[in-house]
Amino acid sequence: MNEAEGNEGLRDFIRDRVQADLAAGKYPGVVTRFPPEPNGYLHLGHAKSICLNFGIALENDGICNLRFDDTNPVKEDTEYVDSITEDVKWLIDGWADSVLSEKTFFASDYFEQLYGYAVQLIQHGKAYVCELQPDEWEEYRGVPEKPGKESPGRSRSPEENLALFERMRAGEFADGDKTLRAKIDMASPNLHLRDPVIYRIRHEEHHHAGDQWCLYPMYDFTHCLSDSIEGISHSICTLEFEVHRPLYDWVLDNLPVPQPRPHQHEFSRLNPTYMVMSKRKLLQLVEDNHVSGWDDPRMPTIAGYRRRGFTASAIRNFCQRVGVTKYKGVTDVSLLENAIREELNKTAARRCAVLDPLEVVIENYPEGESEELEAVNNPEDEAAGKRSVPFGRRLFIERADFMEDPPKKFFRLGPGREVRLRYAYFITCQSVEKDAEGNITRLICTYDPETRGGHAPDGRKVKGTIHWVSAEHAVDAEVRLYDRLFTEPEPEATGDFLECLNADSLKVVTGKLEPSLAELPAGERVQFERLGYFTPDAKDTAPEKPVFNRIVGLRDSWAKIAKK
RNA sequence: UGCCCGAUGGUGUAACGGUAGCACGACAGAUUCUGGUUCUGUUUGUUGGGGUUCGAAUCCCUAUCGGGCAACCA
């Protein structure tokens, strides 16, 4: 077995099954597939599936096909084909790109072959044309406890069925007039086996197949045969397809497909807290403008996370930690946040930015002068080196770092208190200036020149260290502070998920940034010290007007204490 | 009341008949020029009842609870 990077020792019931199949010599090799329908953007749930399918291929020297399951032209679009392709490549880049099939597959490329299989089914008396109308369906299908009724078309001869099926293809009938059904068992306790529809008429142009067809195969008929055509060994999908498995097996067992044939395995889908994961609901968020688009940084889409500043490796890591089982639980978002913080703590350069500025004047600092101070780029990575930051008489500090009447555990600035300005000097607050309404407008402080660099020669200590920027040198930037999109851990469990939309999921502020941040290229991620991890917004940032996204905040134990 | 699937700390997951472990969270402490990071410690768990066995989270039966299935969606 190939030691796939980061995947060593990964075990779950599907991987166990793959190993058992290999040991038994059931398949010559492992071929998996990731089969999205191009009717929406990929989200975190898809990421889990991608990590599983590509991961298993990677660990077993196999391959994984990207295949679009595009059998429903009315819902699908090339916009989604393009976004999905981009997202998959981004997510596996540098990890499993070597096992991605060279070509991209489309189920619609198999339509002719699928048609041939359907003809064979008809010839063997295993499929028939049905003219039941939609309103008659419920009556004929029956309910789980009671058998259904046979369609009048069920007893027609193969010759007649074949002739009708050809005329369906030729476009002689209107949408909904006729269907092709598999002849299985109208009394089965599994409704999917009660003569399921395998072809329906849709006079509709297809985004990939063009206008060649007015007859489209259904998922259950298409998916298993597409797997078979591509030589898939393990067809991995989510739990809701479990009841479809007997149909998957029926189709492959009743047609002369190559052996060994693929088998379906189901796992439970990802269900993170404070998110909705259904494509329908995500589409609604986009269409009703609750978010700016599929790639809004608050969306749980791959595109959203990418724009927000998440790394592919953090998402993969998260998927790995979540595990693979058949138990339907909820996954705490803190697991995802931990994954991205853990990575960025090691890799992101530190910078200073003040997001809610309060002016500070150092009254004993010479007017009109400034100096450069040395700051460490990343305490977790010595190789990241140092930079210099300008210091002057007028500064900005965070409004939350000053309290006029501080409680005992508040370690920051207050009247008469001394704190350290990170990498600079100790300062002491001498007086507070206010406007007519009593709002604090300015702090008058003094600094101790002996503490340059942040240490006092007399060995005295300060309780707190705060960040700052020089007012004279600061760069203004729009900073977008994202929070969870929903206020409830399980928005879908409440009556209407839109009712628990978080009104504060986006706050936009104008921050004061240290000058080195002025032209940070998109794709770079930095830590604003004591605040969180940030990245320039790939779409909106510009050299003269930087725009930053907050990827995730730092853990904030003061916020916890302050709450009490 | 039909069929299928599932159930291990707050959450997710491991233990494949032999000491219930890991991650995240929470709490407490230490370290710290980020109330970050790091380190240490604490807390909490095998759904109930029967059985098989020297021994059961694991195998069997049963109850309970939860989820899924009745688109010409995937």
Side-chain angles (χ1 to χ4, degrees):
Chain A
M1 184 172 69
N2 184 23
E3 285 296 328
E5 190 195 336
N7 277 28
E8 305 88 11
L10 227 52
R11 261 190 95 178
D12 52 65
F13 74 101
I14 293 179
R15 277 179 242 252
D16 285 351
R17 180 60 192 271
V18 170
Q19 291 319 311
D21 287 346
L22 253 23
K26 194 165 170 183
Y27 297 103
V30 172
V31 185
T32 57
R33 101 268 92 111
F34 175 62
E37 182 189 16
N39 68 344
Y41 276 58
L42 257 29
H43 54 61
L44 221 43
H46 295 108
K48 179 178 177 182
S49 175
I50 290 168
C51 289
L52 225 205
N53 279 296
F54 281 88
I56 287 175
L58 185 64
E59 292 148 25
N60 295 286
D61 295 314
I63 56 170
C64 182
N65 292 352
L66 170 58
R67 177 171 80 226
F68 288 98
D69 217 341
D70 54 352
T71 57
N72 187 359
V74 307
K75 286 191 177 176
E76 299 157 4
D77 196 275
T78 50
E79 177 198 349
Y80 300 124
V81 171
D82 295 342
S83 75
I84 289 169
T85 307
E86 183 187 0
D87 290 349
V88 168
K89 287 185 174 165
W90 177 76
L91 193 62
I92 67 171
D93 185 51
W95 169 62
D97 40 322
S98 63
V99 299
L100 173 64
S101 55
E102 273 180 40
K103 106 175 241 245
T104 298
F105 298 87
F106 291 82
S108 54
D109 285 337
Y110 309 139
F111 281 174
E112 192 60 54
Q113 209 171 339
L114 259 21
Y115 182 86
Y117 275 127
V119 166
Q120 289 190 57
L121 238 30
I122 295 171
Q123 286 168 338
H124 290 95
K126 289 173 177 170
Y128 62 93
V129 173
C130 173
E131 33 260 311
L132 251 28
Q133 296 304 299
D135 56 323
E136 296 175 283
W137 259 87
E138 212 175 306
E139 180 196 345
Y140 276 81
R141 185 179 36 232
V143 289
E145 302 82 1
K146 292 195 192 95
K149 287 198 297 184
E150 292 190 358
S151 160
R154 201 175 207 262
S155 51
R156 207 164 14 225
S157 72
E159 293 69 30
E160 288 175 284
N161 281 320
L162 212 47
L164 281 171
F165 191 50
E166 278 165 14
R167 291 174 60 200
M168 284 165 71
R169 177 177 186 172
E172 293 188 28
F173 307 109
D175 289 6
D177 262 15
K178 291 181 169 37
T179 58
L180 185 72
R181 292 226 258 163
K183 192 193 272 192
I184 308 180
D185 177 9
M186 288 307 292
S188 171
N190 182 339
L191 280 329
H192 295 284
L193 257 22
R194 316 249 262 229
D195 291 10
V197 171
I198 55 176
Y199 269 91
R200 80 292 215 183
I201 297 168
R202 287 278 178 279
H203 289 271
E204 208 59 65
E205 170 133 352
H206 188 280
H207 63 91
H208 184 73
D211 56 5
Q212 286 181 263
W213 295 86
C214 63
L215 190 62
Y216 291 96
M218 301 284 290
Y219 166 83
D220 286 303
F221 185 67
T222 309
H223 201 93
C224 52
L225 288 168
S226 302
D227 284 345
S228 167
I229 289 164
E230 292 174 16
I232 301 298
S233 59
H234 301 266
S235 181
I236 301 165
C237 61
T238 47
L239 243 31
E240 65 269 27
F241 292 102
E242 212 164 14
V243 285
H244 294 243
R245 185 168 8 114
L247 184 49
Y248 184 104
D249 291 338
W250 184 91
V251 172
L252 294 184
D253 288 341
N254 283 278
L255 251 9
V257 299
Q259 300 295 327
R261 68 161 175 88
H263 283 270
Q264 176 180 306
H265 309 274
E266 312 87 11
F267 69 98
S268 98
R269 66 187 332 158
L270 184 63
N271 180 211
T273 52
Y274 299 100
M275 299 181 196
V276 296
M277 209 75 350
S278 100
K279 278 197 215 170
R280 204 203 93 237
K281 293 192 174 97
L282 294 175
L283 180 63
Q284 195 180 344
L285 290 172
V286 172
E287 288 187 333
D288 297 351
N289 294 311
H290 293 113
V291 294
S292 65
W294 285 100
D295 68 343
D296 185 300
R298 291 167 294 179
M299 288 284 272
T301 51
I302 307 288
Y305 282 116
R306 180 170 58 236
R307 187 167 169 195
R308 172 98 164 235
F310 274 67
T311 60
S313 54
I315 293 174
R316 278 188 247 125
N317 229 300
F318 165 71
C319 291
Q320 205 173 98
R321 290 176 198 187
V322 162
V324 180
T325 63
K326 297 185 81 158
Y327 175 69
K328 297 178 194 179
V330 289
T331 298
D332 201 320
V333 269
S334 67
L335 218 61
L336 212 213
E337 293 172 351
N338 176 268
I340 186 67
R341 281 195 193 110
E342 186 180 289
E343 175 172 341
L344 262 21
N345 175 51
K346 292 188 196 112
T347 59
R350 272 59 170 174
R351 293 291 183 267
C352 282
V354 173
L355 301 186
D356 185 11
L358 173 61
E359 188 182 341
V360 167
V361 175
I362 312 290
E363 60 180 355
N364 60 337
Y365 194 86
E367 234 159 311
E369 280 190 28
S370 71
E371 64 186 300
E372 294 287 323
L373 297 164
E374 196 174 60
V376 171
N377 281 330
N378 186 349
E380 306 294 318
D381 178 15
E382 212 172 307
K386 294 179 177 174
R387 70 186 186 285
S388 73
V389 287
F391 183 87
R393 190 166 196 265
R394 279 179 59 240
L395 311 169
F396 291 114
I397 66 164
E398 213 67 60
R399 203 161 268 276
D401 286 339
F402 175 83
M403 278 183 97
E404 209 173 0
D405 186 19
K408 204 163 181 176
K409 286 187 172 170
F410 187 80
F411 302 150
R412 284 110 93 148
L413 202 56
R417 288 192 178 206
E418 184 173 51
V419 295
R420 170 167 41 231
L421 295 179
R422 186 124 161 105
Y423 297 125
Y425 294 97
F426 288 8
I427 60 166
T428 304
C429 176
Q430 304 299 344
S431 61
V432 179
E433 291 183 3
K434 296 182 184 178
D435 63 15
E437 279 85 54
N439 300 311
I440 298 168
T441 52
R442 197 148 76 145
L443 263 29
I444 309 299
C445 300
T446 52
Y447 84 120
D448 177 357
E450 296 296 308
T451 57
R452 190 175 199 275
H455 293 283
D458 63 5
R460 79 177 186 280
K461 304 272 188 205
V462 286
K463 268 291 209 185
T465 299
I466 64 174
H467 59 98
W468 54 277
V469 294
S470 161
E472 190 192 333
H473 309 269
V475 175
D476 280 4
E478 176 177 330
V479 181
R480 299 171 179 172
L481 304 172
Y482 297 105
D483 198 354
R484 48 185 59 145
L485 235 195
F486 296 94
T487 55
E488 292 295 319
E490 295 180 64
E492 293 177 290
T494 66
D496 180 4
F497 76 106
L498 293 175
E499 296 211 335
C500 50
L501 268 169
N502 179 8
D504 299 319
S505 60
L506 169 59
K507 266 185 250 168
V508 181
V509 299
T510 300
K512 301 284 183 186
L513 277 44
E514 70 167 75
S516 69
L517 250 15
E519 295 192 11
L520 190 72
E524 294 281 315
R525 301 170 181 88
V526 294
Q527 181 192 107
F528 289 178
E529 292 224 21
R530 303 208 305 135
L531 296 173
Y533 297 97
F534 292 78
T535 192
D537 184 86
K539 272 191 179 170
D540 297 336
T541 200
E544 65 283 5
K545 190 181 178 298
V547 177
F548 279 82
N549 294 331
R550 179 169 68 193
I551 305 166
V552 66
L554 253 29
R555 278 176 62 191
D556 187 354
S557 47
W558 164 243
K560 284 181 203 164
I561 297 166
K563 251 189 208 169
K564 289 178 191 168

